[in-house]
Amino acid sequence: MLELKVAGMTCGHCAKAVTEAVHSVAPEAHIAVDLQQGLVKIEARTSTIPAAAVIKAIEEEGYKVNH
């Protein structure tokens, strides 16, 4: 599992944008977004999660990932 602290997420649209960004590089991943805590939890059962690519995809959507 990969857990990321993502700054700037405030609403359902933000959660959807982040989810779609993650799915663009890890289509099989299960994603849970916690807006209150600013956390994104990503789990993939069949493969490893490309952390650098996921972070880049989220940041390209305009969010700041604190690694």
Side-chain angles (χ1 to χ4, degrees):
M1 179 188 324
L2 177 63
E3 186 172 292
L4 300 171
K5 184 79 171 165
V6 180
M9 297 187 306
T10 59
C11 64
H13 173 75
C14 297
K16 182 178 179 189
V18 168
T19 298
E20 289 175 356
V22 174
H23 277 150
S24 74
V25 293
E28 76 291 345
H30 173 74
I31 301 143
V33 177
D34 182 336
L35 292 173
Q36 267 190 320
Q37 302 225 349
L39 292 176
V40 177
K41 295 179 183 178
I42 307 158
E43 184 175 358
R45 295 174 196 225
T46 58
S47 64
T48 59
I49 302 164
V54 166
I55 291 168
K56 182 179 177 188
I58 292 171
E59 288 183 338
E60 285 176 351
E61 288 296 317
Y63 301 95
K64 175 72 177 144
V65 179
N66 300 312
H67 354 195

